[in-house]
Coordinates of all heavy atoms in Angstrom, one line a residue:
M1110 N -117.9 -0.2 61.2 CA -118.2 -0.3 62.6 C -118.1 -1.8 63.0 O -118.5 -2.7 62.3 CB -119.6 0.2 62.9 CG -120.0 0.1 64.3 SD -121.5 1.0 64.6 CE -121.7 0.5 66.3
I1111 N -117.5 -2.0 64.1 CA -117.4 -3.4 64.7 C -118.6 -3.7 65.5 O -119.0 -2.9 66.4 CB -116.1 -3.5 65.6 CG1 -114.9 -3.1 64.8 CG2 -116.0 -4.9 66.2 CD1 -114.6 -4.0 63.6
E1112 N -119.2 -4.8 65.2 CA -120.4 -5.2 66.0 C -120.0 -5.7 67.4 O -118.9 -6.3 67.5 CB -121.1 -6.4 65.3 CG -121.7 -6.0 64.0 CD -122.9 -5.0 64.1 OE1 -123.7 -5.1 65.1 OE2 -122.9 -4.1 63.3
P1113 N -120.8 -5.5 68.4 CA -120.4 -5.9 69.7 C -120.4 -7.4 69.8 O -121.1 -8.1 69.1 CB -121.5 -5.3 70.6 CG -122.6 -5.0 69.7 CD -122.1 -4.8 68.4
L1114 N -119.7 -8.0 70.8 CA -119.7 -9.4 71.1 C -120.3 -9.6 72.5 O -120.2 -8.6 73.3 CB -118.2 -10.0 71.1 CG -117.5 -10.1 69.7 CD1 -116.2 -10.7 69.9 CD2 -118.3 -10.9 68.7
Y1115 N -120.8 -10.7 72.7 CA -121.5 -11.0 74.0 C -121.0 -12.3 74.6 O -120.6 -13.2 73.8 CB -123.0 -11.1 73.8 CG -123.6 -9.9 73.2 CD1 -123.7 -9.7 71.8 CD2 -124.1 -8.9 74.0 CE1 -124.2 -8.5 71.3 CE2 -124.6 -7.7 73.5 CZ -124.7 -7.5 72.1 OH -125.2 -6.4 71.6
D1116 N -121.0 -12.4 75.9 CA -120.6 -13.7 76.5 C -121.8 -14.7 76.4 O -122.8 -14.4 75.8 CB -120.2 -13.4 78.0 CG -121.3 -13.0 78.9 OD1 -122.5 -13.1 78.6 OD2 -120.9 -12.8 80.1
E1117 N -121.6 -15.8 77.1 CA -122.6 -16.9 77.0 C -123.9 -16.5 77.7 O -124.9 -17.2 77.4 CB -122.0 -18.2 77.5 CG -121.7 -18.1 79.0 CD -120.3 -17.7 79.3 OE1 -119.7 -17.0 78.5 OE2 -119.8 -17.9 80.4
Y1118 N -124.0 -15.5 78.5 CA -125.2 -15.0 79.1 C -125.8 -13.8 78.5 O -126.8 -13.3 79.0 CB -124.9 -14.7 80.6 CG -124.3 -15.9 81.3 CD1 -123.0 -16.0 81.7 CD2 -125.1 -17.0 81.7 CE1 -122.4 -17.1 82.3 CE2 -124.6 -18.1 82.3 CZ -123.2 -18.1 82.6 OH -122.7 -19.2 83.3
G1119 N -125.3 -13.4 77.4 CA -125.8 -12.2 76.7 C -125.3 -10.9 77.2 O -125.8 -9.8 76.7
V1120 N -124.3 -10.9 78.0 CA -123.7 -9.7 78.5 C -122.6 -9.2 77.5 O -121.8 -10.0 77.1 CB -123.1 -9.9 79.9 CG1 -122.4 -8.6 80.4 CG2 -124.1 -10.4 80.9
P1121 N -122.7 -7.9 77.1 CA -121.7 -7.4 76.2 C -120.3 -7.5 76.7 O -120.1 -7.2 77.9 CB -122.1 -6.0 75.9 CG -123.2 -5.7 76.8 CD -123.6 -6.9 77.5
L1122 N -119.3 -7.8 75.9 CA -117.9 -7.8 76.2 C -117.4 -6.4 76.1 O -117.9 -5.6 75.3 CB -117.1 -8.8 75.3 CG -117.5 -10.3 75.4 CD1 -116.7 -11.1 74.4 CD2 -117.4 -10.8 76.8
C1123 N -116.4 -6.1 76.8 CA -115.7 -4.8 76.8 C -114.6 -4.8 75.7 O -113.9 -5.8 75.5 CB -115.0 -4.5 78.1 SG -114.1 -3.0 78.2
R1124 N -114.5 -3.8 74.9 CA -113.4 -3.6 73.9 C -112.3 -2.8 74.5 O -112.5 -1.8 75.1 CB -113.9 -2.9 72.7 CG -114.9 -3.7 71.9 CD -115.2 -3.1 70.5 NE -115.0 -1.7 70.4 CZ -115.4 -1.0 69.4 NH1 -116.0 -1.6 68.4 NH2 -115.2 0.3 69.3
S1125 N -111.1 -3.3 74.3 CA -109.9 -2.6 74.8 C -108.8 -2.8 73.8 O -109.0 -3.4 72.7 CB -109.5 -3.0 76.2 OG -108.6 -2.1 76.7
G1126 N -107.6 -2.5 74.2 CA -106.5 -2.7 73.3 C -105.2 -2.8 74.0 O -105.1 -2.5 75.2
V1127 N -104.1 -3.1 73.3 CA -102.8 -3.2 73.9 C -101.9 -2.5 72.9 O -102.2 -2.3 71.7 CB -102.3 -4.7 74.1 CG1 -103.2 -5.3 75.2 CG2 -102.4 -5.5 72.8
G1128 N -100.7 -2.2 73.3 CA -99.7 -1.6 72.5 C -99.1 -2.5 71.4 O -99.3 -3.7 71.4
E1129 N -98.5 -1.8 70.4 CA -97.9 -2.5 69.3 C -96.8 -3.5 69.7 O -96.6 -4.5 69.0 CB -97.3 -1.6 68.3 CG -98.4 -0.8 67.5 CD -99.3 -1.8 66.7 OE1 -98.8 -2.7 66.0 OE2 -100.5 -1.6 66.7
R1130 N -96.2 -3.3 70.9 CA -95.2 -4.2 71.4 C -95.8 -5.6 71.6 O -95.2 -6.6 71.2 CB -94.6 -3.7 72.7 CG -93.5 -4.6 73.3 CD -93.1 -4.3 74.7 NE -94.2 -4.6 75.6 CZ -94.4 -5.8 76.1 NH1 -93.7 -6.9 75.7 NH2 -95.3 -6.0 77.0
I1131 N -97.0 -5.7 72.1 CA -97.7 -6.9 72.3 C -98.3 -7.5 71.0 O -98.2 -8.7 70.7 CB -98.8 -6.8 73.4 CG1 -98.1 -6.4 74.7 CG2 -99.6 -8.1 73.5 CD1 -99.1 -6.2 75.9
W1132 N -98.9 -6.6 70.2 CA -99.4 -7.0 68.9 C -98.4 -7.6 68.0 O -98.7 -8.5 67.2 CB -100.1 -5.9 68.1 CG -101.5 -5.6 68.7 CD1 -101.8 -4.4 69.3 CD2 -102.6 -6.4 68.7 NE1 -103.2 -4.5 69.7 CE2 -103.7 -5.7 69.3 CE3 -102.9 -7.6 68.1 CZ2 -105.0 -6.2 69.4 CZ3 -104.2 -8.1 68.3 CH2 -105.2 -7.4 68.9
A1133 N -97.1 -7.2 68.1 CA -96.0 -7.8 67.3 C -95.9 -9.3 67.5 O -95.4 -10.0 66.6 CB -94.7 -7.1 67.7
F1134 N -96.3 -9.8 68.6 CA -96.2 -11.3 68.8 C -97.4 -12.1 68.2 O -97.4 -13.3 68.2 CB -96.2 -11.6 70.3 CG -95.0 -11.0 71.0 CD1 -95.2 -10.0 72.0 CD2 -93.7 -11.3 70.6 CE1 -94.1 -9.5 72.7 CE2 -92.6 -10.8 71.3 CZ -92.8 -9.8 72.3
Y1135 N -98.4 -11.4 67.8 CA -99.7 -12.0 67.3 C -99.4 -13.1 66.3 O -99.9 -14.2 66.4 CB -100.6 -11.0 66.8 CG -102.0 -11.6 66.4 CD1 -103.0 -11.7 67.4 CD2 -102.3 -12.0 65.1 CE1 -104.2 -12.2 67.2 CE2 -103.6 -12.5 64.9 CZ -104.5 -12.6 65.9 OH -105.8 -13.1 65.6
H1136 N -98.6 -12.8 65.3 CA -98.3 -13.8 64.2 C -97.1 -14.6 64.5 O -97.0 -15.8 64.2 CB -98.2 -13.2 62.8 CG -99.5 -12.6 62.4 ND1 -100.6 -13.4 62.1 CD2 -99.9 -11.3 62.1 CE1 -101.6 -12.6 61.7 NE2 -101.2 -11.4 61.7
S1137 N -96.0 -13.9 65.0 CA -94.7 -14.6 65.2 C -94.7 -15.5 66.4 O -94.0 -16.5 66.3 CB -93.6 -13.5 65.3 OG -93.8 -12.8 66.5
D1138 N -95.4 -15.2 67.4 CA -95.4 -16.1 68.6 C -96.8 -16.0 69.3 O -96.9 -15.3 70.3 CB -94.3 -15.6 69.6 CG -94.0 -16.6 70.7 OD1 -94.8 -17.5 70.9 OD2 -92.9 -16.4 71.3
P1139 N -97.8 -16.7 68.8 CA -99.1 -16.6 69.4 C -99.2 -16.9 70.9 O -100.0 -16.2 71.6 CB -99.9 -17.6 68.6 CG -99.2 -17.8 67.3 CD -97.7 -17.6 67.7
E1140 N -98.5 -17.8 71.3 CA -98.5 -18.2 72.8 C -98.0 -17.0 73.6 O -98.6 -16.7 74.7 CB -97.8 -19.5 73.1 CG -98.4 -20.7 72.5 CD -99.9 -20.8 73.0 OE1 -100.2 -20.7 74.2 OE2 -100.7 -21.1 72.1
R1141 N -97.0 -16.4 73.2 CA -96.4 -15.2 73.9 C -97.4 -14.1 73.8 O -97.6 -13.3 74.8 CB -95.1 -14.8 73.3 CG -94.5 -13.6 74.2 CD -93.0 -13.5 73.9 NE -92.6 -12.3 74.8 CZ -91.5 -11.7 74.6 NH1 -90.6 -12.1 73.7 NH2 -91.1 -10.7 75.4
F1142 N -98.1 -13.9 72.7 CA -99.1 -12.9 72.5 C -100.2 -13.1 73.6 O -100.6 -12.1 74.3 CB -99.7 -12.8 71.1 CG -100.9 -11.9 71.0 CD1 -100.8 -10.6 70.9 CD2 -102.2 -12.5 71.1 CE1 -101.9 -9.7 70.9 CE2 -103.3 -11.6 71.0 CZ -103.2 -10.3 70.9
K1143 N -100.7 -14.3 73.7 CA -101.7 -14.6 74.7 C -101.2 -14.3 76.1 O -102.0 -13.7 76.9 CB -102.2 -16.1 74.6 CG -102.9 -16.3 73.3 CD -103.2 -17.8 73.2 CE -103.8 -18.1 71.8 NZ -104.1 -19.6 71.7
A1144 N -100.0 -14.8 76.4 CA -99.5 -14.6 77.8 C -99.3 -13.1 78.1 O -99.6 -12.6 79.2 CB -98.1 -15.3 77.9
E1145 N -98.7 -12.4 77.1 CA -98.5 -10.9 77.4 C -99.8 -10.2 77.5 O -100.0 -9.3 78.3 CB -97.7 -10.3 76.2 CG -96.3 -10.8 76.1 CD -95.3 -10.1 76.9 OE1 -95.6 -9.0 77.4 OE2 -94.2 -10.5 77.0
S1146 N -100.8 -10.6 76.7 CA -102.2 -9.9 76.8 C -102.8 -10.2 78.2 O -103.3 -9.3 78.8 CB -103.1 -10.4 75.7 OG -102.6 -10.1 74.4
R1147 N -102.8 -11.4 78.6 CA -103.3 -11.8 79.9 C -102.6 -11.0 81.0 O -103.3 -10.5 81.9 CB -103.3 -13.3 80.1 CG -104.2 -14.0 79.2 CD -104.1 -15.5 79.5 NE -104.9 -16.3 78.5 CZ -104.5 -17.3 77.8 NH1 -103.3 -17.8 78.1 NH2 -105.3 -17.9 77.0
A1148 N -101.3 -11.0 81.0 CA -100.5 -10.3 82.0 C -100.8 -8.8 82.0 O -100.9 -8.2 83.1 CB -99.0 -10.5 81.8
Y1149 N -101.0 -8.2 80.9 CA -101.2 -6.8 80.7 C -102.6 -6.4 81.4 O -102.6 -5.5 82.2 CB -101.3 -6.4 79.3 CG -101.6 -5.0 79.0 CD1 -100.7 -4.0 78.9 CD2 -103.0 -4.6 78.7 CE1 -101.0 -2.7 78.6 CE2 -103.3 -3.3 78.4 CZ -102.3 -2.3 78.4 OH -102.6 -1.0 78.1
F1150 N -103.6 -7.2 81.2 CA -104.9 -6.9 81.8 C -105.0 -7.4 83.2 O -105.8 -6.8 84.0 CB -106.0 -7.5 80.9 CG -106.2 -6.7 79.6 CD1 -105.8 -7.2 78.4 CD2 -106.7 -5.4 79.6 CE1 -105.9 -6.5 77.2 CE2 -106.9 -4.7 78.5 CZ -106.5 -5.2 77.3
A1151 N -104.2 -8.4 83.6 CA -104.2 -8.8 85.0 C -103.7 -7.7 85.9 O -104.2 -7.5 87.0 CB -103.3 -10.0 85.2
L1152 N -102.8 -6.9 85.4 CA -102.2 -5.7 86.1 C -103.2 -4.5 86.1 O -103.4 -3.9 87.1 CB -100.9 -5.3 85.6 CG -99.7 -6.2 85.9 CD1 -98.5 -5.7 85.2 CD2 -99.4 -6.3 87.4
G1153 N -103.7 -4.2 84.9 CA -104.4 -3.0 84.7 C -105.9 -3.1 85.0 O -106.6 -2.2 85.3
M1154 N -106.5 -4.3 84.8 CA -107.9 -4.5 85.0 C -108.1 -5.9 85.7 O -108.7 -6.8 85.0 CB -108.6 -4.5 83.6 CG -108.6 -3.2 82.9 SD -109.4 -3.1 81.3 CE -111.1 -3.2 81.8
P1155 N -107.7 -6.0 86.9 CA -107.9 -7.3 87.6 C -109.4 -7.7 87.6 O -110.3 -6.9 87.8 CB -107.4 -7.0 89.0 CG -107.0 -5.6 89.1 CD -107.2 -4.9 87.8
G1156 N -109.6 -9.0 87.4 CA -111.0 -9.5 87.4 C -111.6 -9.6 86.0 O -112.7 -10.1 85.8
W1157 N -110.9 -9.0 85.0 CA -111.3 -9.1 83.6 C -110.6 -10.2 82.9 O -109.4 -10.3 83.1 CB -111.1 -7.8 82.9 CG -112.0 -6.7 83.5 CD1 -111.9 -6.0 84.6 CD2 -113.2 -6.2 82.9 NE1 -112.9 -5.1 84.8 CE2 -113.7 -5.2 83.7 CE3 -113.9 -6.5 81.7 CZ2 -114.9 -4.5 83.4 CZ3 -115.0 -5.8 81.4 CH2 -115.5 -4.8 82.3
T1158 N -111.2 -10.9 82.0 CA -110.6 -12.0 81.3 C -110.6 -11.7 79.8 O -111.6 -11.3 79.2 CB -111.4 -13.3 81.6 OG1 -111.5 -13.6 83.0 CG2 -110.8 -14.5 80.9
V1159 N -109.4 -12.0 79.2 CA -109.3 -11.8 77.8 C -110.0 -13.0 77.1 O -109.7 -14.1 77.4 CB -107.8 -11.8 77.4 CG1 -107.6 -11.7 75.8 CG2 -107.0 -10.6 78.0
V1160 N -110.9 -12.6 76.2 CA -111.7 -13.6 75.6 C -111.3 -13.9 74.1 O -111.3 -15.0 73.7 CB -113.2 -13.2 75.6 CG1 -114.1 -14.2 74.9 CG2 -113.7 -13.1 77.1
K1161 N -111.0 -12.8 73.4 CA -110.8 -12.8 72.0 C -109.9 -11.6 71.6 O -110.0 -10.6 72.2 CB -112.1 -12.9 71.3 CG -112.0 -13.2 69.8 CD -113.4 -13.3 69.2 CE -113.3 -13.7 67.8 NZ -114.7 -13.9 67.2
A1162 N -109.2 -11.8 70.5 CA -108.4 -10.7 69.9 C -108.8 -10.6 68.4 O -109.0 -11.5 67.7 CB -106.9 -10.9 70.1
N1163 N -108.9 -9.3 68.0 CA -109.1 -9.0 66.6 C -107.9 -8.2 66.0 O -107.8 -7.0 66.3 CB -110.4 -8.3 66.4 CG -110.7 -8.0 64.9 OD1 -109.9 -7.5 64.2 ND2 -112.0 -8.1 64.6
Y1164 N -107.0 -8.9 65.3 CA -105.8 -8.3 64.9 C -106.1 -7.1 63.9 O -105.4 -6.1 64.0 CB -104.9 -9.3 64.2 CG -103.6 -8.8 63.8 CD1 -102.5 -8.5 64.7 CD2 -103.3 -8.4 62.4 CE1 -101.3 -8.0 64.3 CE2 -102.1 -7.9 62.0 CZ -101.1 -7.7 62.9 OH -99.9 -7.2 62.5
Q1165 N -107.0 -7.3 63.0 CA -107.2 -6.4 61.9 C -107.6 -5.0 62.5 O -107.2 -4.0 62.1 CB -108.3 -6.9 61.0 CG -108.7 -5.9 59.9 CD -109.8 -6.4 59.0 OE1 -110.3 -7.5 59.2 NE2 -110.2 -5.6 58.1
H1166 N -108.5 -5.0 63.5 CA -109.0 -3.8 64.2 C -108.3 -3.5 65.5 O -108.6 -2.5 66.1 CB -110.5 -3.9 64.4 CG -111.3 -4.0 63.1 ND1 -111.4 -3.0 62.3 CD2 -111.9 -5.1 62.6 CE1 -112.2 -3.4 61.2 NE2 -112.4 -4.7 61.4
R1167 N -107.3 -4.3 65.9 CA -106.5 -4.1 67.1 C -107.4 -4.0 68.3 O -107.3 -3.1 69.1 CB -105.6 -2.9 67.0 CG -104.6 -3.0 65.9 CD -103.6 -4.1 66.1 NE -102.3 -3.9 65.4 CZ -102.1 -4.3 64.2 NH1 -103.0 -4.9 63.5 NH2 -100.9 -4.1 63.6
I1168 N -108.3 -5.0 68.4 CA -109.3 -5.0 69.6 C -109.0 -6.2 70.4 O -108.9 -7.3 69.9 CB -110.7 -5.0 69.1 CG1 -111.0 -3.7 68.3 CG2 -111.7 -5.2 70.2 CD1 -112.4 -3.7 67.7
I1169 N -109.0 -6.0 71.7 CA -109.0 -7.1 72.7 C -110.4 -7.1 73.3 O -110.8 -6.1 73.9 CB -107.9 -7.0 73.7 CG1 -106.5 -6.8 73.1 CG2 -108.0 -8.1 74.7 CD1 -106.0 -8.0 72.5
W1170 N -111.1 -8.3 73.3 CA -112.4 -8.4 73.9 C -112.2 -9.0 75.3 O -111.6 -10.0 75.5 CB -113.3 -9.3 73.1 CG -113.6 -8.7 71.7 CD1 -113.0 -9.0 70.5 CD2 -114.6 -7.8 71.4 NE1 -113.5 -8.2 69.5 CE2 -114.6 -7.5 70.0 CE3 -115.6 -7.1 72.2 CZ2 -115.4 -6.6 69.4 CZ3 -116.5 -6.2 71.6 CH2 -116.4 -6.0 70.2
L1171 N -112.8 -8.3 76.3 CA -112.7 -8.7 77.7 C -114.1 -9.0 78.3 O -115.1 -8.4 78.0 CB -112.1 -7.6 78.5 CG -110.7 -7.1 78.0 CD1 -110.4 -5.8 78.7 CD2 -109.6 -8.1 78.3
R1172 N -114.0 -10.0 79.2 CA -115.2 -10.4 80.0 C -115.0 -9.9 81.4 O -114.0 -10.2 82.0 CB -115.5 -11.9 79.9 CG -116.7 -12.3 80.6 CD -116.9 -13.8 80.5 NE -115.8 -14.5 81.2 CZ -115.1 -15.5 80.6 NH1 -115.4 -16.0 79.5 NH2 -114.1 -16.1 81.3
D1173 N -116.0 -9.3 82.0 CA -116.0 -8.9 83.4 C -116.3 -10.1 84.3 O -117.4 -10.5 84.4 CB -117.0 -7.8 83.7 CG -116.9 -7.2 85.0 OD1 -116.1 -7.7 85.9 OD2 -117.6 -6.2 85.3
D1174 N -115.3 -10.6 85.0 CA -115.5 -11.8 85.9 C -115.4 -11.4 87.3 O -115.3 -12.3 88.2 CB -114.4 -12.9 85.6 CG -114.7 -13.6 84.2 OD1 -115.8 -13.6 83.8 OD2 -113.7 -14.1 83.6
R1175 N -115.4 -10.1 87.6 CA -115.3 -9.7 89.0 C -116.4 -10.2 89.9 O -116.2 -10.4 91.1 CB -115.2 -8.2 89.1 CG -113.9 -7.6 88.4 CD -113.9 -6.1 88.4 NE -115.0 -5.7 87.5 CZ -115.4 -4.4 87.3 NH1 -114.8 -3.5 88.0 NH2 -116.3 -4.1 86.5
R1176 N -117.6 -10.4 89.4 CA -118.7 -10.8 90.3 C -119.3 -12.1 90.0 O -120.3 -12.5 90.4 CB -119.8 -9.7 90.2 CG -119.4 -8.4 90.7 CD -120.5 -7.4 90.8 NE -120.0 -6.2 91.4 CZ -120.6 -5.1 91.3 NH1 -121.7 -5.0 90.6 NH2 -120.0 -4.0 91.8
R1177 N -118.6 -12.9 89.1 CA -119.0 -14.2 88.8 C -118.8 -15.2 89.9 O -117.8 -15.1 90.6 CB -118.3 -14.7 87.5 CG -118.8 -14.0 86.3 CD -118.3 -14.8 85.1 NE -118.6 -14.0 83.9 CZ -119.3 -14.4 82.9 NH1 -119.8 -15.7 83.0 NH2 -119.6 -13.7 81.9
T1178 N -119.7 -16.1 90.1 CA -119.6 -17.1 91.1 C -119.4 -18.5 90.3 O -120.0 -18.7 89.3 CB -120.8 -17.2 92.0 OG1 -122.0 -17.4 91.2 CG2 -120.9 -16.0 92.8
V1179 N -118.6 -19.3 90.9 CA -118.4 -20.6 90.2 C -119.3 -21.7 90.7 O -119.8 -21.7 91.7 CB -116.9 -21.1 90.5 CG1 -116.7 -22.4 89.8 CG2 -116.0 -20.0 90.0

């Protein structure tokens, strides 16, 4: 079982995933992996920010920034 991760305020992060097409870039082109992951979630989950990726378990950790104020 994967333990939950939390943001700096103690709010749990959301676990999600992406397809193998994007995971294929994880080792070969990390910058493209990051860009593709961000673009994927910008379209499907606007307002959520990619925080971390776990390749072994194929998990993308997301933070809900829809109601955050700067």
Side-chain angles (χ1 to χ4, degrees):
M1110 178 171 176
I1111 303 298
E1112 294 296 320
L1114 291 181
Y1115 300 89
D1116 70 5
E1117 63 273 17
Y1118 302 106
V1120 177
L1122 298 176
C1123 176
R1124 287 190 338 189
S1125 191
V1127 294
E1129 287 300 316
R1130 180 190 72 79
I1131 296 174
W1132 283 112
F1134 299 119
Y1135 187 83
H1136 292 297
S1137 64
D1138 191 348
E1140 290 305 314
R1141 184 163 180 196
F1142 171 77
K1143 291 175 188 176
E1145 294 273 347
S1146 297
R1147 290 179 187 136
Y1149 178 86
F1150 288 106
L1152 287 174
M1154 296 177 72
W1157 291 76
T1158 303
V1159 175
V1160 175
K1161 189 174 183 177
N1163 181 314
Y1164 182 80
Q1165 179 182 359
H1166 296 287
R1167 300 296 203 271
I1168 295 172
I1169 303 290
W1170 294 96
L1171 304 166
R1172 182 181 63 228
D1173 185 359
D1174 288 335
R1175 293 174 294 174
R1176 296 190 179 160
R1177 288 194 186 237
T1178 56
V1179 178

